[in-house]
Amino acid sequence: MAMLASYFDSFISKMPSLSTSDHASVVSLNLFVALLCACIVLGHLLEENRWMNESITALLIGLATGVVILLISKGKSSHLLVFSEDLFFIYLLPPIIFNAGFQVKKKQFFRNFVTIMLFGAIGTVISCTVITLGVTQFFKKLDIGTFDLGDYLAIGAIFAATDSVCTLQVLNQDETPLLYSLVFGEGVVNDATSVVVFNAIQSFDLTHLNHEAAFHLLGNFLYLFLLSTLLGVATGLISAYVIKKLYFGRHSTDREVALMMLMAYLSYMLAELFDLSGILTVFFCGIVMSHYTWHNVTESSRITTKHTFATLSFLAETFIFLYVGMDALDIDKWRSVSDSPGTSVAVSSILIGLLMLGRAAFVFPLSFLSNLAKKNESEKINFKMQVVIWWAGLMRGAVSMALAYNKFTRAGHTDLRGNAIMITSTITVCPFSTVVFGMLTKPLIRHLLPHQKATTSMLSGDNNTPKSIQIPLLDQDSFIEFAGNHNVPRPDSIRGFLTRPTRTVHYYWRQFDDSFMRPVFGGRGFVPFVPGSPIERDPPDLSKA
């Protein structure tokens, strides 16, 4: 114990320079890797626990580690690594978002695309507006510092960013495919929208705000949103075309895997280079790669890429929650607000109340609007599902932390009292919402949506998705499409044909995809023959049936 204490004393004294290759840095990195291993082991042991999941486990381990470090260092510090928003945005976030797009059930995602965009884009703006109006009214009465309109708008964007990682660990896309698709899609689009809005606010002159400036801000937001999406799609298509034409599998599967990984990361860095949304870009790059590029590589490369992307995403998520737990006990930040703990608690309580109100302000009204456009009852979002969607989005995590650091600190530190209060409040809200709301999410889902064994297990899911998980498709349109692909007689219900036409947007997209996109960029059923490659054992191309 004494030796460990001496290591920490040496490390704490030199903590500002993380890049120095001294003995204390090596010790700290070894301890952090050991903690990651502990998170994996405990997460596995608590897999069936109704209250816990891996995100909460990592967060609590981080908190416990922070307490131990505080005791050993005699109150000097609580973490092993110095936080940097660059570390988060450049190294940790890309693999998480890319894997989300790479593993997404595209059929479910795009079938609910309009609802997802309503929740993720318009809903985030509504939530940001509600939070901004609320903090503008309450913070002026608390006398916590001098904030301008840009600061209040930034706070709205910071706390409008949900953390769907924790929720998705307790949702099961086999049992609740519609709910999983909505929460997952909204979480990704929400994060992207929050970052785009935050960056737009940061780069926009808000001193002369009028109707023209508001429309200019909206146009800038749409420009970033659309261009980021197009960049991700273009990068994914380029990777598919290059791998399809050059036959890398003839010589080495390592080249295929390396090119896919580098092209995915390149899409994110290009977006950051051109001041676009890297989150949106790398997400849609993942979708395109899973639809085209993944089918152009050899069988061994498919297995390797699927598990590599999933592993990198898992480690990044665990790393983030572990650090957030330790950072919650950062003594330097709490020392700045030690003279007014009541104010800090009040600010945190107000923010939690506003994020709950802001989320309710769009989930229930937008669900009502979405249901009006759907005739099939199985596609509608019932009230119980609305409650789960509302509750699932109350957790705040790494994106909010990173944006708060970006706005209110310099190099992880702040000397202004108002900025310090905002940092400590963010540190309070994120772990509190993750632990409290996260622990109650699984019991809430089991209470409101008890598991019912699907009677349509014969129906397959999205066979184009690398995850290769068969999910039941619960709507009539899915059955019609399945029947069309498998020569199964279609139902002769007149009402079915009137309320659910067989020639949907998805039908026409499949026609265009099969006639033009797949012959050019590859994909299922259009994989080039590679001499000497392993024998492919993929299912037959059902789209041609």
Side-chain angles (χ1 to χ4, degrees):
M1 192 71 178
M3 182 178 295
L4 186 61
S6 64
Y7 281 147
F8 274 108
D9 289 338
S10 175
F11 169 68
I12 296 302
S13 63
K14 302 176 182 179
M15 193 174 59
S17 103
L18 179 64
S19 60
T20 58
S21 56
D22 55 8
H23 189 64
S25 297
V26 175
V27 171
S28 65
L29 289 175
N30 274 276
L31 290 174
F32 206 93
V33 172
L35 289 173
L36 287 174
C37 295
C39 291
I40 294 173
V41 173
L42 289 178
H44 169 72
L45 295 176
L46 297 174
E47 179 72 24
E48 301 300 326
N49 190 282
R50 63 178 300 186
W51 302 103
M52 301 294 291
N53 58 60
E54 287 173 334
S55 297
I56 298 176
T57 302
L59 189 63
L60 293 179
I61 291 177
L63 285 169
T65 305
V67 172
V68 173
I69 298 176
L70 275 176
L71 295 175
I72 294 176
S73 64
K74 300 177 181 179
K76 294 180 180 179
S77 179
S78 65
H79 24 65
L80 300 169
L81 301 175
V82 178
F83 180 84
S84 169
E85 56 267 20
D86 291 337
L87 171 68
F88 172 74
F89 280 109
I90 296 178
Y91 301 109
L92 298 180
L93 190 60
I96 296 175
I97 303 300
F98 176 82
N99 186 65
F102 195 71
Q103 305 283 12
V104 68
K105 292 292 180 183
K106 295 181 292 296
K107 191 175 295 183
Q108 286 289 337
F109 180 82
F110 286 105
R111 179 173 286 117
N112 301 295
F113 186 75
V114 175
T115 305
I116 288 172
M117 294 304 295
L118 276 176
F119 286 168
I122 298 177
T124 302
V125 174
I126 294 174
S127 178
C128 178
T129 303
V130 171
I131 295 173
T132 299
L133 293 176
V135 296
T136 302
Q137 296 298 319
F138 288 109
F139 283 10
K140 290 180 179 178
K141 300 177 181 179
L142 292 176
D143 188 28
I144 63 174
T146 304
F147 291 138
D148 56 21
L149 178 60
D151 294 327
Y152 289 126
L153 287 171
I155 293 172
I158 289 169
F159 289 98
T162 66
D163 181 23
S164 59
V165 172
C166 186
T167 305
L168 293 179
Q169 292 180 352
V170 298
L171 283 176
N172 190 316
Q173 65 176 330
D174 294 339
E175 299 174 7
T176 54
L178 175 60
L179 181 62
Y180 185 95
S181 175
L182 292 176
V183 173
F184 166 81
E186 185 229 335
V188 174
V189 178
N190 169 278
D191 286 346
T193 305
S194 300
V195 175
V196 170
V197 170
F198 181 84
N199 291 335
I201 292 170
Q202 295 291 90
S203 60
F204 198 75
D205 183 14
L206 298 171
T207 56
H208 302 89
L209 191 62
N210 50 39
H211 293 291
E212 183 178 351
F215 280 111
H216 182 66
L217 182 63
L218 177 62
N220 187 38
F221 168 75
L222 295 176
Y223 167 80
L224 291 175
F225 209 91
L226 294 175
L227 210 60
S228 301
T229 302
L230 291 176
L231 178 60
V233 172
T235 309
L237 291 177
I238 291 173
S239 71
Y241 185 81
V242 170
I243 290 180
K244 178 176 181 289
K245 289 297 182 182
L246 297 184
Y247 302 156
F248 285 91
R250 287 180 302 179
H251 304 293
S252 172
T253 58
D254 297 339
R255 291 185 175 92
E256 293 179 320
V257 176
L259 187 61
M260 286 186 68
M261 295 178 65
L262 291 175
M263 289 293 288
Y265 191 68
L266 179 64
S267 69
Y268 184 87
M269 296 310 297
L270 283 175
E272 295 299 313
L273 178 65
F274 295 114
D275 294 325
L276 301 175
S277 171
I279 294 178
L280 265 183
T281 298
V282 77
F283 174 69
F284 279 97
C285 180
I287 290 180
V288 173
M289 277 193 173
S290 71
H291 191 66
Y292 298 109
T293 313
W294 190 72
H295 295 284
N296 293 341
V297 300
T298 58
E299 184 179 9
S300 57
S301 294
R302 297 180 196 179
I303 298 173
T304 302
T305 53
K306 180 182 69 173
H307 292 293
T308 298
F309 292 139
T311 302
L312 291 175
S313 174
F314 171 75
L315 288 176
E317 293 168 6
T318 307
F319 184 101
I320 290 170
F321 282 105
L322 183 61
Y323 184 86
V324 168
M326 287 188 286
D327 195 60
L329 299 175
D330 189 353
I331 196 66
D332 292 331
K333 300 181 181 67
W334 290 105
R335 188 179 290 115
S336 302
V337 296
S338 59
D339 59 331
S340 54
T343 302
S344 183
V345 172
V347 170
S348 301
S349 302
I350 290 171
L351 289 172
I352 292 175
L354 287 175
L355 65 89
M356 295 178 71
L357 178 63
R359 185 154 184 83
F362 77 83
V363 169
F364 299 105
L366 294 184
S367 297
F368 175 76
L369 292 177
S370 176
N371 289 339
L372 290 179
K374 296 178 180 179
K375 297 180 181 180
N376 196 332
E377 290 296 326
S378 64
E379 294 181 342
K380 292 185 177 181
I381 310 171
N382 58 47
F383 182 74
K384 291 182 178 180
M385 293 179 65
Q386 293 175 32
V387 173
V388 173
I389 293 172
W390 168 73
W391 184 268
L394 293 177
M395 285 170 276
R396 297 297 180 265
V399 174
S400 295
M401 291 278 292
L403 293 179
Y405 273 82
N406 183 276
K407 176 65 179 178
F408 295 109
T409 70
R410 291 183 179 180
H413 301 283
T414 179
D415 296 326
L416 299 177
R417 179 174 176 272
N419 290 358
I421 289 178
M422 288 310 307
I423 292 297
T424 55
S425 298
T426 306
I427 293 173
T428 302
V429 170
C430 291
F432 177 85
S433 61
T434 300
V435 173
V436 175
F437 299 139
M439 290 180 67
L440 295 177
T441 298
K442 191 181 293 186
L444 180 68
I445 293 174
R446 290 183 176 179
H447 175 70
L448 294 179
L449 304 171
H451 173 56
Q452 296 179 353
K453 292 185 178 180
T455 58
T456 57
S457 58
M458 56 175 271
L459 302 182
S460 66
D462 186 0
N463 290 327
N464 289 332
T465 299
K467 214 167 190 177
S468 300
I469 296 178
Q470 307 300 316
I471 65 172
L473 303 179
L474 303 180
D475 56 356
Q476 185 179 6
D477 189 39
S478 303
F479 177 79
I480 292 173
E481 182 178 67
F482 174 85
N485 286 338
H486 292 74
N487 296 322
V488 178
R490 300 187 180 188
D492 55 0
S493 169
I494 298 179
R495 182 175 180 272
F497 284 108
L498 293 177
T499 59
R500 183 58 49 177
T502 59
R503 304 216 166 195
T504 59
V505 175
H506 182 262
Y507 170 83
Y508 291 109
W509 160 249
R510 288 294 296 271
Q511 294 297 312
F512 173 73
D513 193 27
D514 291 340
S515 61
F516 175 73
M517 295 297 289
R518 292 189 185 188
V520 175
F521 298 104
R524 179 175 294 275
F526 293 89
V527 180
F529 172 71
V530 181
S533 65
I535 299 175
E536 303 292 341
R537 293 187 291 270
D538 281 348
D541 180 22
L542 302 180
S543 63
K544 293 299 184 181

